Amino acid sequence: VVLSDSVTSLGNYSFQSCSALESVVIGNGITSIGSYAFSGCCALPEITIPQSTTTISNYAFEGCSSLADIIFGRNMKTIGEEAFSDCNNLTTIISLATTPPVCGSQALDDINKWECVLYVPGNYISTYQTAEQWKDFFFIKEQTDNIDVFYYRDNNTVFYDLRGCPVADSKNLAKGIYIINGKKIMVK
């Protein structure tokens, strides 16, 4: 699913329970994601929230059990109540916002904060370490590179995972976030 840049908001229940939804590109015009918009989309492995989005409403991604990677744009302000409940397979969250988004009740509670790595702008690590719900992440690391989001397949390039380890089988690269030449990219 590709949402056009001309769309400015994603309404409540837009894709609720679309259990076969494996990929979505949210257009740069979307400023808000409604309640339950992607609730129950259990095949969705990653989501990139564009720079234009400021609000994620209640239960928006609740039950997205395959969700492993999230990128929040720099203008993200609020994440609603239980927005990511039952997203217990998250391994990477990248927040480009310099001010931690304000989280509603239990917005990030079901995330395994002992394993999921939170990347934030370097000078703002201490801000996240004191912000409600964000401070519960055990690994809060510096995000220094710009995130490039694009479709990428090149069988001759060495890919590294977010821990800096080379990916053994780069010819059959799974969807996710990787490092190439010092830049983070998302393979879709």
Side-chain angles (χ1 to χ4, degrees):
V1 174
V2 177
L3 301 172
S4 167
D5 289 350
S6 64
V7 177
T8 58
S9 68
L10 194 55
N12 298 342
Y13 308 99
S14 297
F15 295 95
Q16 183 185 29
S17 299
C18 289
S19 58
L21 182 65
E22 293 181 355
S23 177
V24 65
V25 176
I26 299 176
N28 288 322
I30 294 189
T31 59
S32 64
I33 297 174
S35 296
Y36 297 94
F38 293 97
S39 174
C41 293
C42 56
L44 191 63
E46 75 244 348
I47 194 79
T48 298
I49 310 299
Q51 306 298 351
S52 58
T53 305
T54 60
T55 305
I56 296 175
S57 298
N58 300 342
Y59 301 92
F61 293 93
E62 173 265 337
C64 292
S65 55
S66 294
L67 198 59
D69 303 308
I70 301 172
I71 299 174
F72 293 115
R74 72 177 63 88
N75 294 312
M76 181 57 57
K77 303 282 186 243
T78 59
I79 298 173
E81 177 180 314
E82 296 197 44
F84 292 95
S85 63
D86 296 323
C87 294
N88 47 15
N89 285 316
L90 276 164
T91 57
T92 306
I93 297 175
I94 298 172
S95 178
L96 303 175
T98 55
T99 300
V102 174
C103 295
S105 175
Q106 300 178 337
L108 306 174
D109 274 5
D110 290 335
I111 298 169
N112 183 342
K113 295 177 186 86
W114 285 94
E115 292 184 14
C116 183
V117 180
L118 172 62
Y119 291 92
V120 302
N123 294 334
Y124 300 93
I125 290 175
S126 62
T127 307
Y128 277 83
Q129 289 173 329
T130 59
E132 283 303 313
Q133 295 191 49
W134 299 102
K135 67 182 179 184
D136 299 332
F137 284 85
F138 188 74
F139 298 105
I140 302 177
K141 297 184 177 186
E142 180 177 2
Q143 168 58 40
T144 57
D145 297 330
N146 290 329
I147 302 295
D148 293 332
V149 180
F150 60 101
Y151 295 86
Y152 192 91
R153 293 283 185 218
D154 178 353
N155 293 334
N156 297 319
T157 302
V158 178
F159 289 75
Y160 296 89
D161 64 20
L162 289 176
R163 295 176 303 234
C165 299
V167 176
D169 185 10
S170 62
K171 292 180 182 170
N172 297 309
L173 205 58
K175 295 176 183 179
I177 299 174
Y178 298 91
I179 301 170
I180 299 176
N181 296 329
K183 293 189 103 183
K184 289 184 181 74
I185 62 125
M186 181 178 290
V187 174
K188 293 187 174 199

